[in-house]
Amino acid sequence: MLSLSPTLQAKLSTPLTIGTVQVNSRVLQSPLSGVTDLVFRRLVRRYAPSSMLYTEMVQASEIHHLQELPRVMEVDPQEHPISIQLFDCRPDFMAEAARKAFAQGADTIDINMGCPVNKITKKGGGSSLLRQPEIAVEIVKTVVEAVPIPVTVKTRIGWDDHEINILDFARRLEDAGAQMLTLHGRTRAQGYTGAARWEWIAKVKELLSIPVIANGDIFSVESAVRCLTETGADGVMCSRGTLGYPFLVGEIDYFLQTGQLLPQPSLAERLQCAKEHLQGLWEYKGQRGIYQSRKHMTWYVKGFPGAGELREQLSRITSVEEGYFLLDNVGAPDSPDQSGGKGRVA
């Protein structure tokens, strides 16, 4: 039977304190580029009413040069608590962007120091800051001085197996004023391959006094419980496990609050959610939203016979009507049956 120790259950069912902000959930939705827009966040929020959500990552220098704020910074007044995540390697640009993010309604400012993608690291952002701790510290200090809301950091355990410097790095970020650290238990070199090394999260948790959030390989309630038990972390952040499954954050949060498992959504419920996602992207972004929906639709249809063929068809849709037709005919004669779906992303 799935369970937490009484001590851990007691801690994880209480609010999470991030500086001056109190969040009534220990489960967070990760910022995901090209995914966690306003439409996706609304779906997650439906099932996780109290969790901290994050915008897509925003480049500070881009905000500096734009006349209008990018749409990825758009925050719905109803979706708090919400954090806007920023990245760059220039402290002054980051401070300017943070002030604009605060004006947009952000409850916290999150600094990305973990993205492994080359186009980000080549610009000195993301996980490249693990190799530039002095700049990372200066960014945190400058942003903390710029805004009256908590500043947090999301990072990795190191650049590669030869440069795992997270213990010193994390301590310096806390000393610089970071109010929470989210740690992805992989190196930059790992990308998203191999297993997340939760043992490093446990070491960081022992070292810091600010909240430490565990990230990496959280695909189910079971994996979240195992991670929290092994690391002693103050919460978990869900990333790839929510692709095509915006129910996950709420499922984990419900278990931490009550000690009980929610019934998993049926295939029909998941397909209905996919349709709402498709419709929302169309209404919010027009034809560009339809093109973006293709990847989302393929993530929703996993785990049942015939799903592969359906994914192929959904990856080419050009309209809401086309997507609805395909999703509405799942389980109809000559189409995939509805057995076996669990909504999990492998």
Side-chain angles (χ1 to χ4, degrees), residues 309-328:
E309 181 181 351
L310 180 57
R311 284 198 300 274
E312 177 64 26
Q313 294 171 318
L314 286 166
S315 70
R316 299 193 301 267
I317 61 172
T318 58
S319 68
V320 171
E321 293 76 15
E322 193 176 351
Y324 268 42
F325 176 80
L326 291 169
L327 294 168
D328 283 339

Side-chain angles (χ1 to χ4, degrees), residues 155-172:
T155 190
R156 288 179 173 241
I157 63 175
W159 182 259
D160 57 27
D161 285 349
H162 303 291
E163 294 182 49
I164 296 181
N165 62 331
I166 188 56
L167 297 182
D168 179 65
F169 191 73
R171 180 185 53 76
R172 294 175 72 168

